[in-house]
Amino acid sequence: MSDVVHTSVEVRRARYAVAAVFTVHGAVTGSFATRVPWIQEHSSVSAGQLGLALAFPALGASVAMPLAGRVSHRFGARNALRGLISLWTLALVLPSLAPNLLTLCVALFVYGATAGMADVAMNALGVEVENRLDRSIMSGLHGLWSAGALIGSAAGTLAAHLGSDARLHHALASVTLTLLGLLACRWVLDLQPTEDEEPPPRFALPPKSALLIGAVGFCAVFAEGASLDWSAVYLRDQLETSAGLAAACTTGFTLTMALARIAGDRLVDRFGAVRTVRASGVLAVLGGLLIVVADQPAVAMGGFALMGLGIAVVVPLCFAAAGRSGSNPSLAIAGVATITYTSGLVAPSAIGTLAQATSLMVSFILVTVLACGLVAFAGVLRAGDRDRSKVGAPAAAVPDPRG
């Protein structure tokens, strides 16, 4: 009985630890995003050159994410996460040091590569903790990532308002977040490969299951990227609102997503992943329709709020389903992460290109159509529903997300 109690305490402690890692990861993103104007001025790049440079984080992440499973196999899950989250927090300082376009692209490539590998490692551990607790936690973990991003953004906004040099700001943030990340990693699960376990390949195509799951994630992240980057512009240009009200729409969308993710685990536990995503997809479609037909700012803002509610839990459930699919969950998680990162990269430019050729309203018709995919293809997330027959099963019976 004492061993069971000890294991239960260890897993609960690991849950809070990985939650702290998610928060730290989000805070790095928020810290960087608020100082992009300073970085652009410091590196003397044009708006077009900045757009090119900002493609490199996704490129770096896509290249490096498949390596995360091999790193975890080589060093163990805890040491791997400790190293990867530290590389990510320390990489925060690199973009602000770049004096020109070339060095900025290199810095952002490294920034994205470390972000992607840490992302895969922490999601794999999150899935493992969820398996052992036998209740949903992935939505809440991603909600805490959003909360961390808001905290980092708030600190960055204050630093920018005070006229702080981004190199100093990011150095202080990097040191602080590195220490917090290392502290949290002391209590994450220390998963180790078995002696006869083959290391995962350095590079491999994701399994078919990951492609299907990733397609659902693509739809959700496309809607998220479009709403984050274009909601304020939509209100300003389509509905001729003030800049303040337009900005409030984006803030409201972000807060809606964060709160929905934090509260989403209870819904997943009660209704299962498939039904939750189908219902969420309906909300997202309704939100998209309100945005498209809106002739008043309040209607459009309500539409963006529904969109945020509808897509909030989808990506966490995609990672949960990937972590329970196939014989190599780590590779599946990396595949889903790569697809969702790509969607986040493609969405803003695709919306802009289509808006220039037609109108911004037509662009959000596309977003609404993709949201329909959440309803139609939610069934591929069935792996995200835990097997109730395994309640109380020993840890060895739980799939190992490291592959």
Side-chain angles (χ1 to χ4, degrees), residues 128-382:
E128 176 69 9
V129 173
E130 181 175 273
N131 286 341
R132 296 191 183 193
L133 289 173
D134 196 50
R135 63 175 181 270
S136 178
I137 66 167
M138 290 300 292
S139 180
L141 292 179
H142 282 254
L144 288 172
W145 187 96
S146 298
L150 288 172
I151 293 169
S153 297
T157 300
L158 177 61
H161 178 73
L162 296 175
S164 171
D165 188 309
R167 290 169 294 189
L168 175 61
H169 163 216
H170 283 168
L172 293 174
S174 178
V175 170
T176 302
L177 293 172
T178 299
L179 292 175
L180 290 174
L182 287 172
L183 180 63
C185 286
R186 291 181 60 187
W187 293 287
V188 300
L189 294 176
D190 190 18
L191 305 176
Q192 298 290 338
T194 60
E195 292 183 2
D196 59 346
E197 185 178 340
E198 291 291 330
R202 289 184 175 86
F203 294 100
L205 293 175
K208 182 180 178 181
S209 60
L211 296 177
L212 296 173
I213 294 168
V216 176
F218 183 96
C219 295
V221 174
F222 193 98
E224 179 180 356
S227 299
L228 280 174
D229 287 6
W230 289 96
S231 56
V233 178
Y234 193 93
L235 262 70
R236 185 195 65 192
D237 293 354
Q238 293 290 121
L239 302 175
E240 300 180 347
T241 64
S242 66
L245 189 60
C249 179
T250 303
T251 301
F253 171 82
T254 305
L255 287 172
T256 299
M257 279 201 65
L259 293 174
R261 281 178 169 172
I262 291 172
D265 289 319
R266 291 186 179 181
L267 292 175
V268 176
D269 280 333
R270 181 169 182 178
F271 299 108
V274 175
R275 284 193 290 175
T276 299
V277 170
R278 281 190 178 138
S280 296
V282 171
L283 290 178
V285 172
L286 290 176
L289 292 174
L290 282 179
I291 293 167
V292 170
V293 304
D295 58 359
Q296 296 292 329
V299 177
M301 292 177 76
F304 280 111
L306 279 177
M307 183 70 74
L309 285 174
I311 63 178
V313 301
V314 177
V315 172
L317 290 179
C318 286
F319 279 113
R324 299 189 186 96
S325 65
S327 59
N328 195 335
S330 181
L331 184 60
I333 289 174
V336 169
T338 301
I339 294 170
T340 55
Y341 267 68
T342 301
S343 180
L345 172 65
V346 168
S349 59
I351 293 296
T353 301
L354 185 57
Q356 186 172 1
T358 55
S359 71
L360 201 51
M361 184 184 72
V362 173
S363 295
F364 275 89
I365 291 176
L366 172 62
V367 173
T368 306
V369 170
L370 287 175
C372 292
L374 302 179
V375 182
F377 303 112
V380 303
L381 302 184
R382 200 168 304 280

